[in-house]
Amino acid sequence: MKRALVSVSDKSSLVDFVKTLVANDYEIISTGGTKKVLDEAGLKTISVEDVTGFPEILDGRVKTLNPYIHGGLLGRRDLPAHLEKMAELKIKPIDLVCVNLYPFKETIQKPGVTLADAIENIDIGGPSMVRSAAKNYQAVTIVVDAADYKQVAEEIAANGDTTLETRQKLAAKAFRHTAAYDALIADYLTKQAGISAPEKLTLTYDLKEEMRYGENSHQKAYFYEDTLPEAYSIAQAKQLHGKQLSYNNIKDADAAIRIAREFSQPTVVALKHMNPCGIGQADNLEQAWDLAYEADPISIFGGVIVLNRQVDLATAEKMHKLFLEIIIAPGFDQDAFEVLAKKKNLRLLQLDFDQKDTAQKPEVVSVLGGLLVQDQDVLAEDVKDWKVVTKVAPTEEQLASLMFAWKAVKHTKSNAIVVANGERTLGIGAGQPNRIDSTKIAIKHAGAALDEHAVLASDAFFPMDDCVEYAAKHGIRAIVQPGGSIRDQDSIEMADKYGIAMVTTGVRHFRH
């Protein structure tokens, strides 16, 4: 008779699985709550104490860490010396292990969880059994996921055992399972200890879905989400309508919601290829849409739209007239949803904007041979901290417009220039190798919208005074930039020459 050791925290679908094992001549070893569930279901079980000859001790911290368990798991069936020693010590082989671990993840997600609670939910015996069984997969079947019960049960019912191929795949999954579990614990304790740059970076993500393709159609791609879900993220957005998001959709949508969280007034963000093409803010959503659309009615075609208020019918009817890829909002009025859902491929996503200030985990970017990790650029800034460096100071209206432009340029690819007023972006110059070209593009896009209210924001300092001169000659009346160039004075003097205001923030916002 074969033996199975069953000890799980998640007991869903367990009884039917164990019934299959019993029907195929497996003895069941179990412990604690799992044993109670199986006993109540009328399934005969052997307690771990009966196998080890030793009671559970230290409030259950030690119960399976015993040679009669691990010897039964690790003993090689193909080595006579192992079999002889097991027989000598009366260690019976264990052929299947069904284990999932203490709910550490669920514990640390609870509001107000204490460090002591977290520590008590670090499983020691479970991972040890999983690793022992997985190491000896030539003879032992290890099951850590209820999703595998069906296949394992079917193979055992048909053949009396699982196939070697199945055991190998399950062993690989088991090691992924314990690695992810340990990574989560390591990350939690590292943060508790206040360590910001650990010598080892342990990351764990769960597969959300396989993409149709990657950045281009010949590239494979997969979408993994953080094991500890981030509420304000595309991974947690609820898709209400439309076809599956693509790789590029997800990148664009992520960039768009990063921009939207900068604004508290009713705001609409239009984004194309990782850059904003229009941002509008107003007293209501429809007006904000009009402003965002007016900012660049050409580039918005095929774009991603984020609205930070529930979508009403009037706004929906205007958006419906355009080809758009994605619309993201806190919600949609029923009549607004019905209008937008007429387009079967338009993706409509609902996102919890109340959580927008909680998404501050470090950013991880892959490079050949490694990863770059940095804090998110979520610095809170105030115009009171800016320094007026010109003879002319900006008016209160200009300061409000400068802050609006500053928030927009922060999320535009460098070199970045944004021309705006207090309501919307007027022109955006992004991703150019030199700053003067970005300036020219932004001002050209602004076109006839340039008036006495237009201001300009630069994500980094001006290396020369040419951008300031070009802006001044085209009607810009105030500029915000970080400062810090060895030639700052040239730009300041150029601004003074044309009688425009300039402030420096002391903070750069490169976005590569």
Side-chain angles (χ1 to χ4, degrees), residues 220-452:
K220 291 184 178 180
Y222 310 89
F223 186 17
Y224 284 83
E225 62 180 328
D226 201 311
T227 295
L228 295 177
E230 192 76 73
Y232 188 77
S233 68
I234 294 304
Q236 293 301 307
K238 181 180 180 182
Q239 185 164 350
L240 306 177
H241 178 75
K243 62 184 180 180
Q244 180 189 14
L245 295 172
S246 70
Y247 177 96
N248 291 335
N249 287 156
I250 291 172
K251 290 191 69 176
D252 281 341
D254 175 71
I257 66 172
R258 289 171 184 260
I259 301 171
R261 70 178 171 182
E262 296 280 354
F263 300 94
S264 56
Q265 287 182 244
T267 302
V268 174
V269 174
L271 183 134
K272 194 77 169 287
H273 300 306
M274 301 292 288
N275 279 305
C277 58
I279 303 174
Q281 66 175 6
D283 293 332
N284 63 65
L285 199 63
E286 183 184 1
Q287 291 174 354
W289 161 261
D290 291 341
L291 292 167
Y293 175 77
E294 187 181 357
D296 193 340
I298 296 175
S299 297
I300 200 172
F301 182 85
V304 174
I305 307 298
V306 179
L307 312 96
N308 67 355
R309 297 291 192 277
Q310 176 131 334
V311 178
D312 58 273
L313 178 59
T315 307
E317 287 177 334
K318 290 183 176 181
M319 291 192 289
H320 178 68
K321 295 176 182 178
L322 302 179
F323 166 62
L324 300 171
E325 288 276 4
I326 305 170
I327 298 174
I328 305 169
F332 299 81
D333 290 348
Q334 184 59 39
D335 51 3
F337 177 83
E338 289 172 0
V339 166
L340 294 170
K342 290 177 182 178
K343 294 187 175 181
K344 66 178 183 178
N345 290 329
L346 174 61
R347 292 91 160 175
L348 302 178
L349 274 65
Q350 185 174 2
L351 183 63
D352 186 356
F353 275 70
D354 290 337
Q355 302 297 319
K356 69 185 180 71
D357 295 326
T358 65
Q360 297 188 10
K361 291 183 180 178
E363 297 173 334
V364 179
V365 178
S366 64
V367 296
L368 291 176
L371 295 172
L372 292 171
V373 182
Q374 69 170 355
D375 293 339
Q376 291 189 43
D377 188 359
V378 291
L379 181 67
E381 297 178 76
D382 192 319
V383 295
K384 294 177 183 176
D385 299 322
W386 292 355
K387 181 180 179 181
V388 178
V389 293
T390 49
K391 295 175 182 177
V392 176
T395 64
E396 290 298 316
E397 178 189 349
Q398 286 174 331
L399 280 174
S401 298
L402 288 169
M403 178 56 82
F404 179 82
W406 188 238
K407 290 178 178 180
V409 82
K410 174 180 178 180
H411 295 277
T412 304
K413 295 288 187 178
S414 299
N415 287 317
I417 297 290
V418 168
V419 175
N421 57 29
E423 296 181 322
R424 70 172 177 93
T425 54
L426 304 175
I428 297 172
Q432 299 304 305
N434 62 74
R435 196 158 296 278
I436 185 62
D437 280 350
S438 289
T439 304
K440 290 177 179 178
I441 290 170
I443 287 175
K444 179 183 177 182
H445 274 221
L450 279 172
D451 58 21
E452 70 274 12

Side-chain angles (χ1 to χ4, degrees), residues 1-8 14-31 34-39 42-51 69 92-98 156:
M1 180 173 279
K2 291 190 173 185
R3 275 189 159 187
L5 193 158
V6 182
S7 180
V8 295
L14 178 69
V15 171
D16 287 341
F17 176 59
V18 175
K19 283 181 179 178
T20 300
L21 298 180
V22 171
N24 287 273
D25 298 324
Y26 276 77
E27 276 187 321
I28 307 300
I29 305 168
S30 194
T31 183
T34 304
K35 187 177 189 305
K36 181 180 178 182
V37 168
L38 297 177
D39 289 345
L43 294 166
K44 183 181 178 181
T45 59
I46 304 168
S47 69
V48 167
E49 293 95 324
D50 289 339
V51 174
I69 298 296
K92 291 185 179 181
I94 298 174
D95 305 284
L96 183 145
V97 172
C98 179
I156 288 174

Side-chain angles (χ1 to χ4, degrees), residues 98-119:
C98 179
V99 167
N100 49 53
L101 310 176
Y102 289 177
F104 181 81
K105 171 183 171 180
E106 292 76 11
T107 299
I108 63 174
Q109 287 180 299
K110 293 177 182 176
V113 63
T114 65
L115 178 60
D117 288 338
I119 294 295

